[in-house]
Amino acid sequence: QIRLEESGGGSVQAGGSLRLSCAASGRTSYIDTMGWFRQVAGKEREIVSVISWRGPVTYSSDSVKGRFTISKDVVKNTAYLQMNNLEPEDTALYYCAVRTLGRAEYGVWGQGTQVTVSS
């Protein structure tokens, strides 16, 4: 079993920065990919950025490309999402999630951390 704990959310003004962290514990050797997702009340959850745990591959959605950077520290079993030049449209509940080896879907989710960006 893998457990995830997010931290780093908060409230900032437009143009500001936040850094989210997602610490994994438990059977971390089963992690294949770790990702960040976000959801606004009443809307579908959307992918923000993902990173391969065993290689350099990353992906970021067009809406955050150039502003957000995903990174990892495999020794600490932690993924990070550096968010710069935040916009009010980035306001959402941010979740980290893990896709384990051999799985097609993200099956392990954190509790979420709120990011609020004011104009």
Side-chain angles (χ1 to χ4, degrees), residues 6-45:
E6 301 113 330
S7 61
S11 297
V12 295
Q13 289 190 325
S17 298
L18 284 172
R19 188 194 196 203
L20 304 184
S21 299
C22 178
S25 59
R27 295 191 174 188
T28 56
S29 61
Y30 285 81
I31 296 175
D32 178 69
T33 307
M34 190 175 286
W36 287 98
F37 298 76
R38 66 187 182 186
Q39 188 168 22
V40 177
K43 295 187 177 181
E44 289 191 0
R45 185 166 52 199

Side-chain angles (χ1 to χ4, degrees), residues 39-87:
Q39 188 168 22
V40 177
K43 295 187 177 181
E44 289 191 0
R45 185 166 52 199
E46 64 171 344
I47 191 169
V48 176
S49 193
V50 300
I51 188 165
S52 171
W53 213 242
R54 286 168 170 71
V57 177
T58 63
Y59 163 84
S60 292
S61 66
D62 288 342
S63 61
V64 305
K65 203 168 291 183
R67 300 186 298 120
F68 293 10
T69 303
I70 190 169
S71 62
K72 64 188 178 187
D73 184 331
V74 296
V75 174
K76 294 182 178 180
N77 291 312
T78 301
Y80 305 95
L81 185 68
Q82 178 66 44
M83 306 185 293
N84 297 328
N85 195 19
L86 283 158
E87 303 169 352

